[in-house]
Amino acid sequence: MATKSLAHGMGTFYKDCEHAQSRWSKCPHEYKIRYRSAAGKQTEEAGFSTKEKAIDRLTTIYQEKKSAPRNQSKAERIQKYGAMQFREYTAEWKAGQRDLAESSLRTLESLLEHHILPTLGSRRMSTFDHKVVDGFIRTMERNGAGLATQSNAFDKVKSVLLDAYRLGIYTENPVLGVKPPQYDPERAVIPSPAQLRDTRSAGDDRSQLPPVGHCGRPRLPPLGGQATH
């Protein structure tokens, strides 16, 4: 029985008949293949009507064996990190944020303690999707959190989940399509001393502000008296 081997240990294909290899393309017998499985066991398969189909099957098997370590590593990551609670995963993630300034770290810890972990801390990482994230934003809204706090908390949750997404825990980005809190810091404008003076001098008495003193601070009138100048 003649066999034809492929390169790089991909295996062999052959016909188990009396015809010479030069006649294989014309004889009616099926092609068979022989290869070693990922476990190193010699394996045979039959039922290939053409040489091309036999080679395609050997190529597929070879590629699957090459990618097996990578697939196994990904499966192990999913099993390990997907089973973690959000608070456990976040603790590992936070330990890697070595570029955070001390003030930023304090802000992060405050958001985790007061807004994020009470809602998401016990949830398994593998259970997150866009509905869960959207529900977290609605919970902050119901609890009366300010828009700036909502926006900052959402950004932190987003960073953690994107880190998990890059590890392969999710097939789809769990924050994709989530509408973030609509916080616009440009809307919160602190008036300058000159603007305060303009406002104080404009309009009727009801719209006037107390006089502005040094450092731009309004001077309040003493109890029972008028503002001093």
Side-chain angles (χ1 to χ4, degrees), residues 136-207:
F136 166 66
I137 296 173
R138 292 200 302 272
T139 297
M140 288 193 293
E141 292 172 347
R142 288 195 300 270
N143 291 341
L147 281 176
T149 298
Q150 292 182 36
S151 180
N152 287 333
F154 169 74
D155 285 343
K156 300 302 182 289
V157 171
K158 179 180 178 180
S159 295
V160 173
L161 294 181
L162 286 178
D163 184 78
Y165 174 60
R166 287 192 291 268
L167 270 180
I169 294 178
Y170 313 110
T171 56
E172 294 184 358
N173 183 344
V175 297
L176 186 65
V178 176
K179 185 178 180 180
Q182 299 301 300
Y183 170 63
D184 182 3
E186 293 183 357
R187 283 190 259 173
V189 179
I190 300 175
S192 66
Q195 289 172 323
L196 287 173
R197 292 189 187 94
D198 292 342
T199 303
R200 181 168 53 84
S201 61
D204 57 28
D205 292 339
R206 289 173 299 178
S207 66

Side-chain angles (χ1 to χ4, degrees), residues 62-72:
Y62 177 72
Q63 291 174 342
E64 288 174 350
K65 287 195 295 183
K66 284 185 62 178
S67 64
R70 183 174 65 236
N71 291 339
Q72 181 179 359

Side-chain angles (χ1 to χ4, degrees), residues 61-167:
I61 294 168
Y62 177 72
Q63 291 174 342
E64 288 174 350
K65 287 195 295 183
K66 284 185 62 178
S67 64
R70 183 174 65 236
N71 291 339
Q72 181 179 359
S73 177
K74 180 178 179 180
E76 290 172 351
R77 290 199 304 271
I78 293 174
Q79 182 178 10
K80 175 182 177 180
Y81 294 106
M84 275 187 175
Q85 291 185 343
F86 182 84
R87 61 167 42 91
E88 297 172 317
Y89 189 94
T90 300
E92 287 197 11
W93 171 83
K94 187 177 75 171
Q97 307 306 300
R98 290 178 289 275
D99 58 336
L100 285 182
E102 185 177 347
S103 59
S104 298
L105 184 59
R106 287 197 301 267
T107 299
L108 171 61
E109 291 174 343
S110 177
L111 289 169
L112 289 171
E113 179 182 356
H114 299 293
H115 300 283
I116 299 175
L117 295 184
T119 303
L120 303 175
S122 61
R123 176 174 283 276
R124 300 292 177 185
M125 291 298 295
S126 60
T127 65
F128 278 85
D129 57 24
H130 70 284
K131 288 290 187 183
V132 173
V133 180
D134 190 65
F136 166 66
I137 296 173
R138 292 200 302 272
T139 297
M140 288 193 293
E141 292 172 347
R142 288 195 300 270
N143 291 341
L147 281 176
T149 298
Q150 292 182 36
S151 180
N152 287 333
F154 169 74
D155 285 343
K156 300 302 182 289
V157 171
K158 179 180 178 180
S159 295
V160 173
L161 294 181
L162 286 178
D163 184 78
Y165 174 60
R166 287 192 291 268
L167 270 180

